[in-house]
Amino acid sequence: MAVQLVNSPFTGSIMKIAVLAGDGIGPEIVAQAVKVLAAMKHDGLKLELEPAPFGGAGYDAHGDPLPEPTLKLARQADAVLCGAVGGPKYDALPRLQRPEQGILRIRKELGLFANLRPALLFEELAGASSLKPELVAGLDILILRELTGDIYFGEPRGRRTNSRGEREGYDTMLYSEPEIRRIAEIGFQAAMKRNRKLCSVDKENVLETSRLWREVVKDVAKNYPHVELSHMYVDNAAMQLVRNPKQFDVIVTGNMFGDILSDEASMLTGSIGMLPSASLDAGNKGLYEPAHGSAPDIAGKNIANPLATILSAAMMLRYTFNLEEAAQRIEAAVKKVLAQGYRTADIYATEMRRVGTSEMGDAVVAAVRQ
Ligand code: NAD
């Protein structure tokens, strides 16, 4: 199966990016990432950024969280940059019209099966973690979660009454070999771009699905002799993530285990406002968004942290466009502004320079240009 993280720079003449700002703090934080991407134009990057309503904003404009024109734009784009969706205004809507359905549907429509969530802790923020600074300072791990299979989608599922007249609920954990193979490929390729260590997490001691998972991952490993592969049971992985998280480089796992482990790993870094994410299809098209939600409690106040979204834009340059240097330049700029003491409210500590959303964006733009 032809699944691979691109190994040559983007060759299209113009990088087309659909910009779906969404709701709540979405428009504020996405505006900062757009500013930073625009600053990269000086490197000769040719970017075409096209906005479209999505989530609650999509419902307001077209009565649908993923309006047809928005989906069309996303399909035609090379990559999609998202803010976040949702808010109290939409909470009473029927399930299919709720903003969060827009996210689920766009992932499905675009075939985005690989969710990459780095847990990266800039040394400057080591004090923000709930773990001891020495355990997490400089932490840089990547959790790769399969996004379209597993017990969340397996059939049959449902409710029934058993022979004793008791109600039962049941779901099916299911992975096919091609599904495992394609996510494993992404895991090995991501490891090749990093420190060449891949840990596959499963529950092979009790689950048939996991036995197949492990067999297939081992088979894929034959094509990647330079990557050190290890296997870990999910319960142990959950423990190791808080005991010694820096032992990991890339973790690859299924949908449910990844759901839990990626949230656990994100909290190692202490601030949700710092965490980017990417969801990729089989051809490296990706949807890039911060790991957090639309934060309605702080929307419109120019206090949200835009760094997760800016770092998501860096992931876009790395994974969809294979512009590693440009991605690193944005990441280095973020590190620099943190070292200079710039802090939004969520990561503020005494004696730092407290700034708003747009000032933080300006500071990153200035650092990118230096
Ligand atoms: P949330 O992530 O929006 O907010 C949780 C807390 O973190 C809040 O106190 C918020 O102020 C803070 N926070 C989040 N992002 C921040 C940032 N960039 N800077 C500073 N502080 C930040 O989660 P929630 O409150 O559970 O959900 C709010 C809405 O977001 C809901 O409608 C939910 O469905 C939606 N949501 C959307 C996505 C998505 O778009 N992918 C993901 C999760 C939640």
Side-chain angles (χ1 to χ4, degrees), residues 25 84-87 100 103 272-273 289 291-298 304-305 346:
I25 59 171
V85 301
E100 294 77 5
I103 290 275
I272 191 134
E289 58 180 334
H292 58 72
S294 60
D297 51 330
I298 57 168
N305 186 344
D346 56 310

Side-chain angles (χ1 to χ4, degrees), residues 25 29 54 82-88 91 98-100 103 107 271-274 289-299 303-309 344-347:
I25 59 171
I29 53 178
F54 181 54
C82 272
V85 301
D91 282 351
R98 290 190 53 158
E100 294 77 5
I103 290 275
R107 283 179 185 156
S271 173
I272 191 134
M274 295 297 302
E289 58 180 334
H292 58 72
S294 60
D297 51 330
I298 57 168
I303 56 175
N305 186 344
L307 294 179
T309 317
T344 42
D346 56 310
I347 51 173

Side-chain angles (χ1 to χ4, degrees), residues 205-262:
N205 48 347
V206 285
L207 295 173
E208 207 50 57
T209 324
S210 285
R211 272 196 274 277
L212 178 67
W213 176 280
R214 199 176 277 212
E215 256 174 59
V216 175
V217 171
K218 279 183 183 166
D219 193 43
V220 175
K222 291 176 191 155
N223 299 327
Y224 297 91
H226 301 300
V227 175
E228 181 191 320
L229 173 67
S230 60
H231 303 272
M232 199 178 271
Y233 296 142
V234 62
D235 41 347
N236 187 24
M239 194 257 280
Q240 295 297 335
L241 270 175
V242 286
R243 196 185 74 87
N244 177 18
K246 286 196 254 180
Q247 72 183 280
F248 296 108
D249 177 22
V250 181
I251 290 176
V252 63
T253 190
N255 203 345
M256 181 165 67
F257 299 156
D259 191 359
I260 298 163
L261 294 182
S262 61

Side-chain angles (χ1 to χ4, degrees), residues 145-157:
R145 166 189 172 194
E146 200 287 333
L147 210 54
T148 56
D150 207 352
I151 196 163
Y152 294 169
F153 295 94
E155 297 283 350
R157 59 191 290 156

Side-chain angles (χ1 to χ4, degrees), residues 270-305:
S271 173
I272 191 134
M274 295 297 302
L275 296 166
S277 83
S279 303
L280 303 181
D281 76 357
N284 293 310
K285 178 168 182 154
L287 184 147
Y288 298 84
E289 58 180 334
H292 58 72
S294 60
D297 51 330
I298 57 168
K301 297 182 179 163
N302 192 38
I303 56 175
N305 186 344

